[in-house]
Amino acid sequence: MKQFKTESKRILDLMINSIYTNKEIFLRELISNASDAIDKLHFISLTDSEVNSDFKIKITIDKDARTLTIEDNGIGMNKEDLEKNLGTIAESGTLDFKEKNEEELIGQFGVGFYSAFMVSDKIEVLTKKYKEDKAYLWTSKGVEGYEIKEAVKDGVGSKITLTIKQNSDEENYDEYLQDYVITSLIKKHSDYIHYPIKMDVKKTKEVDGKEETFIEEETINSMVPLWRKNKNEVTTEAMESFYMDVFHDYEKPLKCYYSKIEGKVSYNAMLFVPQKAPFDYYSKDFKRGLKLYSSCVLIMDKCEELLPDYFGFVAGIVDSSDLSLNISREILQKDRQVKQISSSLEKKIITEFKKWLEEDRESYTKMFAEFGQTIKFGIYNSYGMKADELKDLLLFYSSKAKKEVTLKEYVSNMNAEQKEIYYATGDSIEQIDALPLAEKVKDKGFEILYLKDKVDEFVVKMIGKFEDKEFKSIADGDLGLDSEEEKKEIEDKQNDAKPMIEELKEALGGKVEIKLTNRLKSYPACVTAVGDVTLEMEKLYRSMPHANMPKVEAEKQLEINVEHPIYSKLESLYQEDKEKAKKLVKVLYYEGLLLEGLPVENVPEMINDITDILV
Ligand code: ADP
């Protein structure tokens, strides 16, 4: 007897003692495994004429023995496969037991083969692999472990025999031994499987006026993959449940699209936008891509060439009869037809997303919150080449609307005197909203876009202009909002204060200029960047591992609000106690850094400076 791997044991335990209400999914999981195994052999059969290509999945019920059998003539497994595949759960390492309850865990991952333990006491897998002589029998009664023995079997493929649990007070397991229950489960979840799922069904006929029962093998599923049906036969509900089954998602997709294209390259495609990013979406392990079929034969599970990476979150399948069946990864990358399909899907998604944005802003915003970053990276990674195509899909939070708006909406709301698109950067809506420089701009009635993703500022720089309007950061000095008098007034003040400023700026180590400003409202001061490196770029640099990178640091200035009482205080302190005045300047600088989300390098020094001012 061999032990299961620890993680697998936990899942097994979960399955055996499951109170999960949707136990019936086990059948869908086993049929889907059988279909995958046949897909693999089907693919081989294209180049190996010796393979018996009469593919099928056979379901048998034996009420007396309480067994349900799922048999396929697919690729089969050898001893190593059994150890590897059924001794451990492939991705169990990524299952987060702590945060999810049982319902979510099973729902989300389906947990494949193991789900059969929800309804069975014992599972046997008799299997023989393609091109191998020996067959094996894998047996397990649950957590104690499993056994693998050599066995005898005709033909390749796998036969999974479940010994169904006895009824309990809460659960009626007998139903999984009923023909009509099993047939209806197959119709419900596995109808589209494109190999016949056969069952011996009891039938009656009349012979000489008497009813006689007889057994006939019947194909239960329609075998027409959903994506091959006529558009008018495919309901949204059908697509949604197809998506959940095939892509193992426990939530309906936000959007489903079906297209049937006849043209230079003909293909059928079904695309789905999930509600949430898959758990590994932001990890290196995430593989994007669509399932690629050629005339219903699966040739690749994740074909990334079919979609640009900025739509990498879109799931789906593509089936084309125009593709060569033995297409390899290398050929795929250059294949003209694949390129055509990919570019037509890309156009389709862009058009559909624009429609979605107009017709259902709420759900589009949900999608954008989840996947908008990926779309923005499309503009960033292409150095702006994709900007024209993608810019209309972007949403940014607006200070005025207090929700996400498009660039088009922003521009159409601009008043005549405004020449540029104003934006502010920061780490969150709240932080940007509290930026000292934002206050007066908002007060004067201007709308500001809040750029809170690290990539955002690069994105707007790469877009360059939107409807002839340039983007301008509110931190970028002159926004042209002041009258000539106002400008003159502040210049005079700056000139008058020159000796004081020159002396006080020593407190900041000589690296930071001091400027007087009237563009602040309630805050005493702020820190802004002068020169090409913005504060946002410095923050981005600080957030990255940068062992071998040249240091990126913004040249900074401290802007002090002349309309704030703190400025008069500074002036009088300068007369009475220059050292204290210098400390005050330092404290204003610390405040400015913190408001921008930048760190104060020497915290003890800051504490001492603040304390000195307070006493
Ligand atoms: P998943 O299907 O998500 O990979 P499962 O736990 O359902 O996870 O199955 C684990 C693996 O066992 C499969 O990936 C496949 O390699 C193998 N397997 C399961 N059922 C069969 C089968 N009927 N024929 C061949 N291999 C199978």
Side-chain angles (χ1 to χ4, degrees):
M1 180 85 67
K2 288 206 163 182
Q3 295 284 310
F4 287 103
K5 301 262 160 60
T6 335
E7 288 274 289
S8 311
K9 231 171 170 165
R10 295 177 67 182
I11 292 182
L12 246 156
D13 201 43
L14 184 82
M15 289 298 163
I16 292 166
N17 303 307
S18 172
I19 47 157
Y20 186 54
T21 43
N22 200 15
K23 291 192 164 66
E24 60 182 47
I25 61 146
F26 82 93
L27 187 62
R28 169 191 89 189
E29 298 286 332
L30 295 184
I31 290 177
S32 148
N33 280 348
S35 169
D36 290 348
I38 298 177
D39 269 341
K40 288 180 191 146
L41 194 59
H42 191 174
F43 186 66
I44 293 172
S45 76
L46 304 170
T47 49
D48 183 346
S49 56
E50 276 174 29
V51 175
N52 166 17
S53 53
D54 180 21
F55 296 114
K56 66 172 186 183
I57 298 166
K58 175 86 190 242
I59 315 275
T60 318
I61 294 172
D62 183 336
K63 283 204 178 84
D64 300 329
R66 290 192 73 80
T67 58
L68 174 67
T69 307
I70 296 100
E71 185 172 7
D72 66 71
N73 52 359
I75 188 102
M77 284 179 274
N78 61 20
K79 202 172 171 192
E80 292 73 51
D81 294 337
L82 282 170
E83 292 277 3
K84 192 168 103 254
N85 298 332
L86 305 187
T88 168
I89 293 182
E91 277 158 324
S92 56
T94 52
L95 287 178
D96 190 346
F97 285 89
K98 274 186 255 93
E99 281 189 8
K100 298 199 169 58
N101 61 29
E102 175 191 307
E103 197 83 3
E104 281 180 310
L105 205 63
I106 299 177
Q108 186 167 7
F109 296 95
V111 254
F113 175 81
Y114 284 53
S115 61
F117 276 109
M118 290 195 292
V119 300
S120 10
D121 294 322
K122 177 178 161 196
I123 303 180
E124 287 171 301
V125 180
L126 176 64
T127 178
K128 187 164 160 190
K129 193 168 182 169
Y130 163 73
K131 283 257 160 111
E132 296 195 13
D133 308 325
K134 285 187 183 153
Y136 295 92
L137 179 67
W138 179 99
T139 316
S140 171
K141 287 184 175 168
V143 270
E144 297 97 78
Y146 60 91
E147 263 176 2
I148 300 176
K149 285 197 288 220
E150 258 188 61
V152 185
K153 183 181 186 301
D154 291 333
V156 296
S158 306
K159 180 174 174 180
I160 323 281
T161 306
L162 312 180
T163 305
I164 301 294
K165 287 185 187 176
Q166 295 290 345
N167 280 352
S168 68
D169 290 344
E170 300 86 35
E171 206 76 45
N172 175 11
Y173 294 105
D174 280 358
E175 59 178 334
Y176 301 117
L177 297 166
Q178 303 287 350
D179 289 4
Y180 73 92
V181 174
I182 297 299
T183 48
S184 70
L185 284 181
I186 294 171
K187 288 206 179 93
K188 183 166 158 200
H189 294 298
S190 310
D191 190 64
Y192 63 87
I193 297 279
H194 47 272
Y195 304 106
I197 304 172
K198 301 197 177 206
M199 241 177 106
D200 291 334
V201 184
K202 213 185 257 170
K203 295 197 164 170
T204 52
K205 63 178 172 192
E206 217 162 278
V207 183
D208 304 330
K210 273 194 291 179
E211 279 221 328
E212 258 184 33
T213 58
F214 66 102
I215 305 281
E216 195 175 79
E217 190 180 68
E218 224 181 54
T219 299
I220 311 297
N221 54 331
S222 76
M223 279 172 58
V224 182
L226 198 61
W227 66 86
R228 286 247 160 185
K229 289 193 172 162
N230 286 326
K231 260 187 145 165
N232 55 12
E233 291 174 69
V234 181
T235 61
T236 309
E237 291 76 50
M239 281 205 275
E240 286 171 351
S241 74
F242 172 82
Y243 163 79
M244 292 196 280
D245 282 352
V246 174
F247 296 94
H248 303 288
D249 197 341
Y250 67 114
E251 280 181 300
K252 282 181 186 170
L254 267 181
K255 274 276 168 195
C256 318
Y257 299 112
Y258 179 23
S259 45
K260 240 180 139 117
I261 305 293
E262 311 275 340
K264 262 190 279 169
V265 190
S266 301
Y267 68 89
N268 294 15
M270 250 176 207
L271 301 175
F272 306 94
V273 181
Q275 302 253 3
K276 296 212 181 77
F279 66 98
D280 58 350
Y281 187 63
Y282 290 103
S283 80
K284 284 198 303 298
D285 297 336
F286 180 72
K287 284 206 177 60
R288 58 180 193 84
L290 304 178
K291 280 182 185 284
L292 178 62
Y293 290 82
S294 168
S295 310
C296 290
V297 183
L298 179 68
I299 27 186
M300 206 168 286
D301 205 37
K302 302 249 168 171
C303 179
E304 35 177 74
E305 285 77 12
L306 288 170
L307 273 186
D309 49 7
Y310 47 88
F311 289 140
F313 53 91
V314 177
I317 71 111
V318 170
D319 188 353
S320 169
S321 316
D322 296 337
L323 289 176
S324 142
L325 274 169
N326 34 27
I327 195 162
S328 68
R329 272 227 172 258
E330 294 69 47
I331 298 176
L332 258 180
Q333 286 169 358
K334 290 179 241 131
D335 190 87
R336 210 165 34 86
Q337 285 154 325
V338 171
K339 282 210 173 98
Q340 273 166 359
I341 297 177
S342 160
S343 97
S344 113
L345 288 177
E346 178 183 355
K347 284 199 194 90
K348 158 114 187 147
I349 297 177
I350 293 175
T351 319
E352 292 291 349
F353 275 26
K354 283 184 188 164
K355 234 201 274 169
W356 185 4
L357 176 68
E358 268 166 34
E359 290 168 1
D360 185 355
R361 176 61 69 93
E362 199 184 326
S363 100
Y364 184 88
T365 307
K366 218 169 145 193
M367 179 285 290
F368 199 80
E370 196 71 12
F371 303 112
Q373 281 234 27
T374 308
I375 299 178
K376 290 182 213 163
F377 269 107
I379 296 180
Y380 175 68
N381 289 337
S382 68
Y383 301 103
M385 263 162 49
K386 285 281 165 193
D388 272 346
E389 279 148 283
L390 301 179
K391 65 186 178 198
D392 291 326
L393 301 181
L394 303 181
L395 293 178
F396 296 104
Y397 185 89
S398 143
S399 62
K400 220 176 201 174
K402 304 248 179 283
K403 59 178 188 193
E404 321 286 320
V405 299
T406 62
L407 294 173
K408 218 190 198 88
E409 286 161 350
Y410 181 96
V411 169
S412 66
N413 284 333
M414 277 167 71
N415 50 25
E417 51 181 305
Q418 189 182 350
K419 309 236 160 15
E420 289 145 329
I421 300 172
Y422 297 143
Y423 69 84
T425 53
D427 301 328
S428 65
I429 302 297
E430 295 72 29
Q431 190 232 328
I432 303 174
D433 209 40
L435 283 178
L437 282 174
E439 250 180 333
K440 247 193 180 164
V441 184
K442 283 187 284 186
D443 266 15
K444 291 195 176 177
F446 294 103
E447 186 173 18
I448 307 172
L449 296 178
Y450 289 3
L451 271 45
K452 66 177 170 49
D453 285 345
K454 296 230 156 39
V455 69
D456 286 349
E457 195 170 28
F458 295 98
V459 168
V460 297
K461 292 228 152 90
M462 275 165 184
I463 294 176
K465 278 183 183 174
F466 189 88
E467 295 186 359
D468 269 350
K469 307 282 190 289
E470 286 193 30
F471 292 88
K472 182 140 186 150
S473 163
I474 59 158
D476 254 9
D478 189 11
L479 294 189
L481 304 180
D482 292 340
S483 66
E484 287 307 314
E485 290 116 72
E486 281 170 319
K487 275 191 209 162
K488 176 92 181 43
E489 197 184 325
I490 195 76
E491 262 170 39
D492 289 348
K493 278 205 172 128
Q494 178 92 22
N495 281 334
D496 295 348
K498 206 168 174 189
M500 174 178 88
I501 288 173
E502 284 306 313
E503 205 173 335
L504 291 182
K505 92 182 189 196
E506 284 166 23
L508 304 176
K511 282 183 298 185
V512 178
E513 290 296 326
I514 295 178
K515 206 179 129 189
L516 301 184
T517 188
N518 56 2
R519 56 186 190 134
L520 292 174
K521 192 181 161 201
S522 62
Y523 288 94
C526 70
V527 169
T528 51
V530 278
D532 291 337
V533 182
T534 64
L535 299 181
E536 241 13 66
M537 291 176 190
E538 178 175 331
K539 272 197 260 175
L540 185 64
Y541 166 81
R542 286 176 182 275
S543 71
M544 289 186 312
H546 44 249
N548 298 317
M549 280 164 63
K551 198 166 175 182
V552 176
E553 203 172 342
E555 217 177 298
K556 299 181 189 76
Q557 72 181 0
L558 174 67
E559 299 193 33
I560 301 177
N561 184 358
V562 290
E563 284 152 21
H564 195 281
I566 206 88
Y567 184 64
S568 335
K569 170 126 194 220
L570 185 67
E571 284 182 316
S572 50
L573 263 184
Y574 176 66
Q575 304 299 336
E576 298 153 15
D577 182 347
K578 289 209 167 104
E579 281 319 300
K580 212 163 184 177
K582 281 185 185 170
K583 294 232 154 115
L584 180 55
V585 165
K586 282 171 86 182
V587 170
L588 291 177
Y589 186 61
Y590 300 137
E591 287 180 3
L593 288 177
L594 293 173
L595 277 164
E596 287 295 336
L598 283 162
V600 169
E601 305 285 353
N602 192 338
V603 175
E605 187 185 338
M606 172 177 81
I607 305 288
N608 287 333
D609 289 339
I610 296 174
T611 315
D612 286 351
I613 288 200
L614 292 177
V615 290

